[in-house]
Amino acid sequence: RLIEYEARLNEFFPGSQCLAICQYDQRRFDPAVLLEVLHTHPIAIIGTEIHDNFYYIPPVELLGDDPAAAELRYWVHNLAERRRAEEKIRGLARFPSENSNPVLRVRKDGTILYANDASAVLLDTWGRQVGQRLPDLWHRSAPGAVDSRLARTAEVNAGGRVFALTFAPVVEQEYANVYGLDITERKRAEDALQQYAERIGTLREIDQALLATYSVEEIAEAALHHVRQLVPYQRASVAVFDFEAGEMSLLAVSSDGGSRLGKGWRGSLERAWFVKGLCQGQAHAVEDLLALPPSSSLFRALQAEGVRSYVNLSIIAQGKLIGSLNLGMDRPGKLDPEHVDVALEVADQLAIGIQQARLYEEVRRHADELERRVAVRTTELRTSQARLRAIFDGTAIGIALV
């Protein structure tokens, strides 16, 4: 009757507001009775721990015609469920080790309790192993996360990659799980966007500087000043070519040291061996100046300034080569493609600015010449008018104008 009573209580409690705990003292009840009691309770409290009771059988089946068959059926079902649960637990337990990103567990005092294979790059960078403490820079992150009960995030460079580390606190156990995420590509994209924004800003500053003056020298100097924000050159210059006179001259020069080839320097175009290629829109580059024989005074002057490599870029206006933008570096090798792109854009801006300045100067000269001619003609007319008036005023006879 006790077992039936306990079983039917499961049909009573779901529809009521009552709660009940059935207490059994193992010292006073026979084990066989307690085993049957377990069949009637979906939840069992053993000591201070609460358990979902795998041995529970609903009353409709326990009190049915064949309780043994019901017991067997539920036991088989529970065994299958337990197996699935164990497989799920094992799968979850494998998750950190199978993760392609770093996963660590760090005790509150900074001791590394666990690290998966992907964490090797971090451990190598830190010079640490499981069982050792994190470096001073990092071991405060774990207690900070545990004490604040808030996740903390930091970035670390390791093995040429950038990782975002999230310290997720498990307060009750006084440790933090550390989840790493490789954000290298994201950081590169962010850096590229930042560089592009700086590039656009600098080019805009150059545009504004070109609009603010009509002097070709000031235009060239402004361009060199701003381009240095994007291209770390050792020496830069802007040259213009006069093909009729066979001469080249430097409008502006920017150099880290003194230079014999400064602003205003002039030389024969025959010495500018790279001009032929520039006429075809091709950049001329020398990757190592020291590897070339110092047969030219230009070479010797550049070497004296510490230039190891350089590139000459065409300044072309209306399809004609009018000059070059010249960049020299303090190290051998090719110029970074990004820097070349920036320099080409600046060369195009210089072409527009120099052409506009020349047109302005030409218009100004024509205006001055026209003004001079008007002034001369006005003077001539006034002189002629004065002479005629003198004749009219000085004659004693009448003069008829027909």
Side-chain angles (χ1 to χ4, degrees):
R1 301 297 296 179
L2 172 63
I3 301 304
E4 181 181 358
Y5 169 77
E6 290 280 42
R8 294 198 183 281
L9 281 177
N10 290 294
E11 298 174 339
F12 166 75
F13 284 114
S16 71
Q17 296 181 352
C18 297
L19 296 175
I21 297 178
C22 303
Q23 296 179 315
Y24 289 86
D25 190 338
Q26 294 186 48
R27 296 170 299 182
R28 302 188 62 179
F29 285 87
D30 187 80
V33 174
L34 294 178
L35 284 173
E36 292 191 59
V37 167
L38 279 176
H39 291 155
T40 65
H41 293 79
I43 297 176
I45 302 176
I46 302 175
T48 59
E49 296 182 352
I50 301 175
H51 303 271
D52 288 327
N53 187 5
F54 277 71
Y55 301 102
Y56 169 71
I57 301 175
V60 67
E61 298 192 52
L62 180 64
L63 302 177
D65 296 335
D66 194 351
E71 182 178 11
L72 177 61
R73 185 167 59 254
Y74 271 87
W75 281 21
V76 171
H77 170 76
N78 289 338
L79 286 172
E81 285 295 314
R82 181 170 181 173
R83 181 178 181 82
R84 283 192 288 268
E86 289 175 346
E87 290 177 350
K88 185 176 182 180
I89 291 172
R90 284 195 294 268
L92 291 174
R94 289 195 304 269
F95 174 75
S97 62
E98 295 174 346
N99 198 328
S100 60
N101 286 311
V103 178
L104 304 93
R105 177 167 290 172
V106 181
R107 201 158 54 201
K108 184 178 178 180
D109 65 359
T111 301
I112 304 171
L113 301 176
Y114 169 82
N116 68 350
D117 292 342
S119 303
V121 64
L122 298 177
L123 298 181
D124 290 344
T125 300
W126 293 332
R128 295 293 191 272
Q129 296 178 355
V130 173
Q132 296 179 331
R133 289 191 176 187
L134 291 173
D136 291 341
L137 180 64
W138 293 98
H139 87 263
R140 298 184 185 89
S141 299
V146 173
D147 291 340
S148 67
R149 297 173 177 262
L150 298 173
R152 295 191 172 189
T153 302
E155 293 182 6
V156 58
N157 291 290
R161 312 292 293 177
V162 182
F163 295 90
L165 301 183
T166 299
F167 289 77
V170 182
V171 179
E172 297 78 7
Q173 302 298 325
E174 293 195 333
Y175 61 70
N177 291 325
V178 184
Y179 303 101
L181 179 64
D182 189 338
I183 59 171
T184 306
E185 297 307 320
R186 189 186 79 188
K187 295 293 290 185
R188 287 175 179 170
E190 290 175 355
D191 292 342
L193 286 174
Q194 179 65 27
Q195 292 174 3
Y196 184 74
E198 293 176 356
R199 173 177 172 178
I200 295 300
T202 299
L203 295 176
R204 182 173 179 273
E205 290 174 357
I206 294 175
D207 281 336
Q208 292 176 333
L210 297 184
L211 294 174
T213 180
Y214 289 106
S215 165
V216 290
E217 290 83 3
E218 292 179 2
I219 287 173
E221 289 173 356
L224 295 185
H225 170 72
H226 289 292
V227 78
R228 190 160 205 168
Q229 301 174 28
L230 300 176
V231 183
Y233 58 74
Q234 172 77 9
R235 170 194 168 87
S237 64
V238 177
V240 290
F241 305 145
D242 185 344
F243 289 98
E244 291 185 2
E247 186 179 66
M248 62 179 291
S249 60
L250 296 181
L251 292 178
V253 175
S254 175
S255 177
D256 286 344
S259 176
R260 289 188 297 162
L261 304 174
K263 177 182 177 180
W265 176 89
R266 294 177 178 275
S268 172
L269 276 176
E270 293 180 356
R271 303 169 69 182
W273 59 94
F274 51 86
V275 170
K276 183 177 181 181
L278 295 182
C279 289
Q280 300 173 357
Q282 300 173 354
H284 175 266
V286 173
E287 295 184 18
D288 191 354
L289 198 58
L290 296 183
L292 300 177
S295 57
S296 167
S297 60
L298 291 178
F299 277 175
R300 292 192 293 271
L302 292 174
Q303 290 173 355
E305 291 186 42
V307 175
R308 288 292 305 275
S309 60
Y310 69 86
V311 61
N312 309 106
L313 302 170
S314 305
I315 299 177
I316 297 177
Q318 296 181 340
K320 296 181 179 180
L321 180 68
I322 62 173
S324 65
L325 172 61
N326 316 297
L327 300 175
M329 306 298 161
D330 61 357
R331 61 190 181 283
K334 293 182 179 180
L335 191 64
D336 186 278
E338 176 71 17
H339 294 162
V340 173
D341 289 342
V342 171
L344 287 172
E345 292 191 47
V346 173
D348 290 340
Q349 290 177 303
L350 280 169
I352 295 172
I354 292 173
Q355 186 70 1
Q356 287 181 337
R358 287 179 172 177
L359 290 174
Y360 172 81
E361 181 63 23
E362 184 176 348
V363 170
R364 189 183 63 79
R365 284 199 305 269
H366 281 299
D368 290 346
E369 177 64 19
L370 181 60
E371 185 176 348
R372 186 190 66 79
R373 291 183 179 182
V374 169
V376 170
R377 184 58 179 161
T378 300
T379 301
E380 291 175 349
L381 289 174
R382 287 176 178 173
T383 300
S384 176
Q385 183 180 17
R387 187 166 56 250
L388 289 174
R389 184 175 295 280
I391 294 173
F392 289 153
D393 293 342
T395 184
I397 60 174
I399 297 177
L401 297 177
V402 181

